Amino acid sequence: MKKKNNYKVTLIILIIITIILFSFIIYLLFFKKPSNNKVLDNKKDEETINIDNNIEDYEDIGEDDNISLFESQDYYIENNLDRYIAYQTLNPSKNIDEVITDVNCNIDRSFYTDPVASNLDDGTLLIVNKYHSLSSDYVPSLVTMEDGYTNVKGAKMQPEAYEHYKQMVDDAKLEGITLYNVSAYRSYSLQNTLYTNYVKRDGVDAADRYSARPGYSEHQTGLASDINTASSKAHFENSLEYSWLNSNAYKYGFILRYPENKEYLTGYKFEPWHYRYVGVDVATYIYEHNITFDEYYAYFIENN
Ligand SMILES: [Zn+2]
């Protein structure tokens, strides 16, 4: 009887030990390990959050720096800030000065994209380019140019521009330089005929580099004149007349409207013969700062 009891007690102890061991194994397998992983995962999450915060901090600082860099530049226009940032992202090789110039001149948009009507209240600072156009019925007030100033009979210009033009031609003559107009005011319909013919001859892409579409020609303003020639083949840029104009035109309120190496801004190839009246003060500023009228207009006229 005693032996049987001993056996029973041993069996119970063995069962209890087995249960304890089994429980321990279960605990190790299903509870301990996962809970360790959870701690690790939490740690990882914290680190990730910290890194994210750091990146955010960095981006915040980077963007603020970028904005103040833009703000400190000449010709910065607050309304264009989003476009500066977008354009800079797309063109990382451009420096900040180029980004501002390009966006101010709308180069972040293709030529003829969403053009607006030229502001007729701008007077002699009226802009006409590949983003600003005149209506087909726009005709400025005009006077007919006299012989001696034009080799095209009946050529017309706006009165103020013409007065300055005459003075320029007269003063040039005193220095042995002969200047004369070969194309001044052109109506919408004349421009339409010219452009259509150029497109037929050379195709749209080529024609767009040297001829304006109707409504987009500065000649429709009556403020522009092609002097002595209107042909690249003539190489007017090598002449004494060009050299004189280059040094003196601004004194009479005229600017070289489509300078060399600025085609990406103006949309036109170098036209050493095309002069535009903007008044003496503005012409002097543009001449001294070596900028295009498009840049001047964006910052000083449209921005105000
Ligand atoms: Zn011209």
Side-chain angles (χ1 to χ4, degrees):
M1 188 70 191
K2 209 185 168 188
K3 210 180 176 185
K4 208 181 174 184
N5 271 349
N6 274 348
Y7 175 75
K8 227 179 168 181
V9 168
T10 307
L11 192 70
I12 288 168
I13 289 169
L14 271 174
I15 287 170
I16 289 169
I17 288 170
T18 307
I19 288 172
I20 289 170
L21 269 173
F22 191 70
S23 300
F24 186 66
I25 288 165
I26 295 281
Y27 168 76
L28 280 179
L29 277 175
F30 294 98
F31 293 97
K32 200 155 193 270
K33 216 173 164 200
S35 94
N36 262 350
N37 271 351
K38 220 173 178 182
V39 170
L40 278 175
D41 284 350
N42 279 343
K43 240 186 163 178
K44 245 189 192 169
D45 285 349
E46 267 172 39
E47 278 169 8
T48 309
I49 288 165
N50 279 337
I51 289 167
D52 285 350
N53 279 342
N54 285 341
I55 287 172
E56 253 170 47
D57 287 349
Y58 174 78
E59 280 173 352
D60 282 350
I61 291 163
E63 204 165 281
D64 285 349
D65 276 355
N66 212 5
I67 290 170
S68 55
L69 207 58
F70 278 123
E71 285 171 343
S72 65
Q73 297 292 311
D74 289 342
Y75 308 117
Y76 166 81
I77 296 172
E78 200 180 342
N79 279 343
N80 285 349
L81 181 59
D82 289 346
R83 286 168 66 195
Y84 295 144
I85 292 167
Y87 188 73
Q88 191 185 41
T89 307
L90 287 170
N91 301 279
S93 63
K94 297 227 177 210
N95 67 41
I96 207 141
D97 201 36
E98 291 169 322
V99 168
I100 286 182
T101 301
D102 288 9
V103 171
N104 286 0
C105 291
N106 297 306
I107 303 308
D108 56 333
R109 298 165 180 165
S110 305
F111 292 141
Y112 302 114
T113 304
D114 305 324
V116 295
S118 302
N119 185 358
L120 303 180
D121 295 335
D122 290 334
T124 53
L125 294 177
L126 179 66
I127 195 163
V128 178
N129 60 18
K130 292 186 176 183
Y131 304 96
H132 298 81
S133 67
L134 295 168
S135 63
S136 59
D137 58 2
Y138 172 76
V139 181
S141 69
L142 296 163
V143 288
T144 302
M145 301 175 84
E146 300 143 86
D147 292 348
Y149 299 99
T150 176
N151 76 342
V152 181
K153 266 224 169 311
K156 292 178 171 67
M157 277 187 104
Q158 285 203 32
E160 183 183 326
Y162 182 50
E163 285 309 309
H164 285 78
Y165 193 87
K166 282 199 293 187
Q167 193 64 56
M168 180 167 76
V169 172
D170 291 346
D171 288 354
K173 193 166 279 171
L174 295 175
E175 296 180 37
I177 299 292
T178 304
L179 306 176
Y180 51 88
N181 164 70
V182 296
S183 187
Y185 167 73
R186 295 203 292 256
S187 68
Y188 182 96
S189 65
L190 174 58
Q191 190 64 34
N192 191 28
T193 306
L194 290 173
Y195 178 76
T196 307
N197 288 337
Y198 292 138
V199 168
K200 271 184 203 154
R201 191 183 70 186
D202 296 332
V204 173
D205 288 349
D208 275 338
R209 291 183 66 196
Y210 65 82
S211 176
R213 297 182 183 186
Y216 295 86
S217 172
E218 202 170 56
H219 285 276
Q220 197 185 337
T221 66
L223 296 165
S225 166
D226 294 340
I227 297 178
N228 291 19
T229 181
S231 160
S232 301
K233 286 177 195 154
H235 290 290
F236 187 56
E237 68 275 19
N238 298 330
S239 67
L240 282 175
E241 289 79 11
Y242 172 77
S243 181
W244 189 92
L245 284 165
N246 206 20
S247 312
N248 296 288
Y250 74 93
K251 298 171 190 166
Y252 304 90
F254 285 89
I255 54 161
L256 179 69
R257 182 66 179 88
Y258 306 116
E260 200 168 14
N261 303 321
K262 295 288 176 80
E263 180 178 352
Y264 69 102
L265 290 179
T266 64
Y268 295 101
K269 289 204 281 191
F270 177 36
E271 292 193 0
W273 58 82
H274 182 112
Y275 291 82
R276 156 68 197 262
Y277 181 77
V278 289
V280 174
D281 290 348
V282 175
T284 303
Y285 184 93
I286 287 173
Y287 177 79
E288 286 175 350
H289 292 81
N290 192 27
I291 59 171
T292 60
F293 182 51
D294 308 275
E295 291 163 84
Y296 182 91
Y297 186 86
Y299 187 75
F300 291 105
I301 311 295
E302 209 163 32
N303 188 32
N304 290 311

